[in-house]
Amino acid sequence: MTRIGLLMGATALVAAGAAYADGHSERGSDGQLNIIYWQAPSLLNPYLSGGTKELEAASLVLEPLARYDETGTMVPWLVDEIPTVANGGVSEDLTQITWTISEGIMWSDGTPLTAADAVFTWQYCTDPAGGCAQLSNYNGVSNVEAVDDSTIRITFDEPKPFPYGPFVGAQSPILQQAQFADCTGEAAPTCTEENFAPIGTGPFIVTDFKANDVATFEANENYRVASQPAFATVNFKGGGDAASAARSVLETGEFDYAWNLQVEPEILTQMEAAGQGEVVSAFGTSVERLMVNFTNPSADLGDERGTVAHPHPFLTDTAVTRALSLAIERNILVEAGYGAAGRPTCNVLPAPEVYASTNNDWCLEYNPDEANRLLDEAGWEMGDDGVRVKDGVRLSVLYQTSTNSVRQGTQALIKQMWEAIGVETELRNIDGSVFFGGDQSSPDTFQKFFADIEMYTNNFDGTDPEAYMGNWACSEIPSPDNLWLGNNMPRFCSEEYDAMVVEMSQTAALEDRAALAIAMNDMLMDAGAIIPLIHRGGVSARAASLEGVKMNEWDSELWNIAEWSRAE
Amino acid sequence: MSDTLVEVRDLRMYFPIYKGVLRRKVGEVKAVDDLNFDIKAGETLGLVGESGCGKSTTGRAILRLYDPTSGSVSIDGTDVVQLEGNDLRAQRPQMQMIFQDPQACLNPRMKVADIIAEPLREHSDMSAEQRRERVNELMDAVGLARRFANRYPHEFSGGQRQRIGIARALALNPKFIVCDEPIAALDVSIQAQVVNLLEDLQKELGLTYLFISHDLSMVRHLATRVAVMYLGKIVELAPRADLYNRPKHPYTQALLSAVPTPDPTVEATRKHIILQGDVPSPAKPPKGCNFCTRCPAVMPICKEVEPTFKEHGAGHFAACHLLEQDQSEAGELSQKQAETAETPSQQGETT
Amino acid sequence: MFAFTIRRLLISIPTLLAISFIVFAILDLAPSDPTGNLPLTIPPEVRQQIRDSLGLDEPFPVRYALWLKQFFINEPLNLIEGWTGWQFGDGDRLRVTSWATRSPVVDLIIERLPQTLWVVGMSQVVAVIIAVPIGVISAYKQYSWFDQIGTFVSMVGFSIPTFFTGLVFIVFFSVQLQWFPSIYDTNHEVTDWDSFVFQIKQMIMPTMVLALATAAQLSRYMRASMLDNLQQDYVRTARSKGLTERVVVTIHVLRNSMIPVVTVIALNIPTIFGGAIITEQIFRVNGIGQLLIIGIQGADIPLVQTLTFIFAVLIVLFNLIADVLYGILDPRIRYE
């Protein structure tokens, strides 16, 4: 048989195996699944700990009514459909949402899941003595009631165009009333047994929990999908550091899945070469971006420095900002500093998919010739010292960021790229605690922005960008009047934009909200207020033999663990 | 009484000197250099000299506590230098040592009875009962109360500890005992007691001693014959009276002149020979006679040729060019000096 | 000796109380926030509520008194109840509770003791077994090739930190050779021969990493102490008695040389309970050391306070034990 023949044969076999696994997999048939989280969970009740490690470990057991899939799209989980205004689940005045639990959902102890459990969960978290870490998910909820055994009605004290806070996502799963009834308020922290082994509706049940060390799970016999989960037991080990967690999956093969591998990209690549597993990444909303200052930061202006009274001498020229963006080779930045944890982006709102614009993709292509052409056309002429000048104004920028080795690497690369098109670049870095510290007396905060360009990462939690896009309203411009508190660093101001912010707060339909978000994003890009660089994501590793992993930044990474299986 | 028990021939004990990173051997300390002497059965040979002259090394080399560089030491007909391992150990009961520091030489974690009985366990097949009996005998012999048997060494006074050391040395009925400054670390009042004990034991058990000391008066009291060491060599060896009355070697003369006399008038008028300079390093002994750097009567030949150690008069040995070149003159000089030092100091004898 | 021990024990009570106060005060003054590690998306008012629910709103003396009561009265009563089955009162008393895990600190410690004692304790045993012969032979054959190699190896053992040797071990034995697991399974139970073999396999690397570091140190102590004693006159005495070299070295020299070494070992024992923070992290042994470091990182003050205090108790106790041991081993020392 030729080599190609062999390969084809092997492929056919794999395909057959996969088909078999899909068709005939059986609950508990794939043995043990070994997961390593280098930060170990300290308990399994997400309401008593806001940490990601606890949320994700608990997500094997506890489930919300609806959650987000790997694209950031909301999917019904314990319900049949997502309530919307269109299907009548959300009231016209946007103050009520009604969820209906699917038929036949059981707790792992065999009792049925009822609306009363959801009501209890709300009461549990909002008890002022309990110290609930997920309280913000129940913001604005005035009442949760059980209309009948399977119908939950949530009432808000004001209209909520995005009413998907309570009981959606890994932060807000449903607890069993029967188990936690005696654990409310001040008693919450004393219920060690309950907090270490909550009863849930998820694919697994806790068999043993050693705080900050290891948790073991076994398949839930009462799980709603008869053939799932494929694994009989889960060994959820914690502790150590990210590099050795990566090694245990990628090199020694002792574990099947390792979480949050904040490791230098080249080290991960090296480990991956061992062939035991592969690095997987997923992208949420974090974007490393350059903020462009539309106001003049010159120290000569005294108290009016960096205020809207004095526009920037050249950065309000869209030809300049567009040229700056085109001159950056984003792939190089990713390679040098991010590896699998980053990818080039041209949007400040890169995700979820429905909100992501495709209108700015011109920036993905590194094109210094076009950048030069734009500048020439706009009248910026190359001076003798290699710096462009127009009307006596030199294209010279001060570019600041926080102190961090990756950021300084990026700065150096960008400086090189910009100087190639005749933009003089001066670099500066400021200690993170000062830069992000918001100290009124410091001139170096990112809000005061006494520089031309600044770089940092921001994101928003969850999947709704309303508050995030509101950051660039005129009212958000930091100035001495509001003690420099505000999120609109570029000092971008547009009536049209502000109108869209207001419109979004009154729009309920997801498609309409998405259209608005895209339009706002594009407006910021066209104005050149923000130059997005890198869409940053989470990185995990999975063993080659582990199938079904759908890396997810919107929810628990283990959100679909019921579907995971061992390759034949 | 005149049988030779110990015969020392050409005994050398050189200690190598290592230096540098690789610890290369760069020289040697000639602590003991070509010793020749005999010890007769039942006698006490005193070995005197300044500290650092090689007295103690000689004692240890003879007992094979060091491995001599060359030469031979025959004790009761057996050359112990050639013995190794078990043969040497079999020979140990014959020859024992009493050490200078009675505190340091006793294992602090062993009880007195165990210290004394240990050699018995090793070299005899006595039962535990017999051993206990023997320990008691020995404690009686050295004047220690039996009830002290179960105490640790630190619970005793210096003199008592030295008695333990003696009892230990006697345990195996040795013929020959090296006493290495056994009284130097003791109070003066105790010294005499220990010396008397040693004398009594010698009479009782017919022991032969090599008595190493820097105390000339004590040696005069105790020794049958006396040997004087300087820088690794014996410079003079003679019967006690002979040596003290008619010292032949300038070094001996100088040593004896330093011994104070009890009579203040004599002491005030007595002529001391003060030696100039320091003892040379045994790693770099001078050419010729070892004493030539400090000798009051040094001659050119002394700096060239090493004098031989030979008999000058009956049983009186010395190594000095003076004695060979001008017998009469040198003899006269030493005669005068010896007379001034004649009155013996015997403070040790008051008991 | 008995009176001495009792007196020392009595003195240690005020000492320990003072220590507990100082530790509590330092932890209180330290700028740490148990909600500091929570995601930035959790708003400040929720954080404040969490802090209140942990009792942080009470004034300092109240919190200290509460901790004293929990630690010195409630926890011992609880332990006694657990061991004897007796019941004191209604058995419902407030225990020292970790903020991060919301579970009693003492239970966490008890849960973690086995792996720490197995791995760290065994490493000390192995270290002694390695160090004593090496120290003895090195000293006995001073400047021989054995001594030179021993000196070199222990210098290496001294100077290379455990996190480096640990990684080298993992890369070599786990990644390359695949002999031993790189991650310790704390749930593993020894039930038969095979599981025993697995336990040995998973213990070898962390134990050896720690043992080598400790042995390097101990063997130097041993060597120095042996050299001291070998120069002593009593050794010459022993030789002149005609004892074999083996008896001279093992009975006379070794026994005397062990006196300082045994006390060093005794003083090391509290560190066994303290675990080996770095080594436990590298091999995921997740014992007491890892518990402490997680507590510190998460500003879990009751956990850190209790662990630190237990270490203080152990250190005071083992200092006393070392003193008593010294008295027993060295007849020259008498405490009255």
Side-chain angles (χ1 to χ4, degrees), chain C residues 57-72:
Chain C
D57 47 345
E58 300 279 356
F60 173 81
V62 174
R63 279 181 287 130
Y64 179 60
L66 188 66
W67 180 84
L68 281 184
K69 177 172 177 265
Q70 288 171 344
F71 187 83
F72 285 106

Side-chain angles (χ1 to χ4, degrees), chain B residues 14 36 49 79 110 122 137 153 155 175 229-230 271 292 304 321:
Chain B
Y14 293 175
N36 283 289
D79 184 358
M110 283 175 103
E122 189 73 21
E137 268 174 47
E155 295 171 276
K175 290 182 178 147
M229 271 188 92
Y230 182 77
K271 192 179 159 204
C292 71
E304 297 298 328
H321 289 299

Side-chain angles (χ1 to χ4, degrees), chain B residues 124 129 165 285:
Chain B
S124 73
E129 182 59 36

Side-chain angles (χ1 to χ4, degrees), chain C residues 71-298:
Chain C
F71 187 83
F72 285 106
I73 299 171
N74 295 359
E75 289 295 345
L77 284 180
N78 225 50
L79 280 181
I80 294 169
E81 276 183 8
W83 288 333
T84 61
W86 298 337
Q87 184 81 16
F88 302 98
D90 59 355
D92 187 27
R93 54 185 84 81
L94 213 52
R95 305 184 58 187
V96 184
T97 304
S98 148
W99 287 345
T101 69
R102 311 296 179 112
S103 65
V105 170
V106 174
D107 293 358
L108 286 176
I109 295 171
I110 290 172
E111 185 176 279
R112 269 145 189 274
L113 261 184
Q115 49 259 42
T116 290
L117 288 185
W118 267 112
V119 171
V120 190
M122 188 57 76
S123 77
Q124 295 284 322
V125 173
V126 172
V128 171
I129 293 173
I130 297 175
V132 170
I134 290 181
V136 169
I137 298 173
S138 291
Y140 188 68
K141 307 238 164 174
Q142 196 186 5
Y143 302 130
S144 65
W145 61 266
F146 185 94
D147 182 31
Q148 309 280 16
I149 292 173
T151 304
F152 176 75
V153 169
S154 50
M155 207 166 67
V156 169
F158 253 134
S159 47
I160 297 185
T162 49
F163 64 78
F164 184 77
T165 37
L167 277 183
V168 170
F169 271 41
I170 287 181
V171 167
F172 195 70
F173 293 111
S174 289
V175 179
Q176 301 292 332
L177 297 174
Q178 309 240 335
W179 284 357
F180 308 123
S182 70
I183 290 170
Y184 190 94
D185 180 2
T186 42
N187 280 332
H188 182 71
E189 275 172 30
V190 177
T191 50
D192 53 13
W193 176 249
D194 287 344
S195 60
F196 177 72
V197 170
F198 179 81
Q199 176 67 17
I200 297 292
K201 273 183 159 182
Q202 70 169 351
M203 272 174 61
I204 281 182
M205 288 203 296
T207 304
M208 288 313 289
V209 163
L210 284 173
L212 289 181
T214 317
Q217 187 190 1
L218 268 185
S219 72
R220 296 320 280 175
Y221 275 119
M222 193 68 227
R223 179 176 178 272
S225 179
M226 282 291 287
L227 282 177
D228 268 356
N229 279 283
L230 277 169
Q231 311 294 334
Q232 298 286 319
D233 283 351
Y234 73 81
V235 180
R236 202 169 287 126
T237 310
R239 291 218 173 98
S240 77
K241 282 176 181 173
L243 306 177
T244 57
E245 279 299 295
R246 197 177 53 79
V247 174
V248 170
V249 172
T250 55
I251 305 289
H252 290 263
V253 186
L254 182 58
R255 277 203 194 163
N256 279 289
S257 308
M258 281 308 280
I259 297 173
V261 177
V262 163
T263 54
V264 168
I265 294 171
L267 290 177
N268 257 342
I269 289 178
T271 63
I272 296 181
F273 288 90
I277 292 174
I278 292 167
T279 312
E280 285 191 358
Q281 281 285 91
I282 292 176
F283 294 99
R284 312 302 203 297
V285 177
N286 292 355
I288 304 282
Q290 192 253 7
L291 186 66
L292 177 66
I293 199 75
I294 290 214
I296 292 170
Q297 285 167 350

Side-chain angles (χ1 to χ4, degrees), chain A residues 52-137:
Chain A
T52 316
K53 53 199 168 82
E54 284 83 18
L55 290 185
E56 305 222 337
S59 72
L60 269 64
V61 175
L62 298 172
E63 295 179 311
L65 295 177
R67 69 189 335 157
Y68 301 100
D69 69 7
E70 73 275 17
T71 64
T73 310
M74 210 185 303
V75 289
W77 207 249
L78 299 176
V79 293
D80 290 332
E81 59 173 357
I82 307 279
T84 58
V85 180
N87 65 20
V90 177
S91 67
E92 289 293 337
D93 62 355
L94 307 178
T95 58
Q96 273 193 341
I97 181 169
T98 308
W99 297 87
T100 308
I101 300 171
S102 305
E103 283 283 309
I105 306 252
M106 299 277 209
W107 292 105
S108 58
D109 62 4
T111 57
L113 168 73
T114 68
D117 291 311
V119 175
F120 171 78
T121 302
W122 168 67
Q123 285 163 345
Y124 177 87
C125 186
T126 49
D127 191 311
C132 176
Q134 307 300 348
L135 196 57
S136 53
N137 285 300

Side-chain angles (χ1 to χ4, degrees), chain A residues 481-495:
Chain A
D481 301 335
N482 61 12
L483 298 173
W484 301 99
L485 292 173
N487 293 312
N488 189 348
M489 307 310 164
R491 285 86 158 124
F492 168 82
C493 188
S494 148
E495 274 176 36

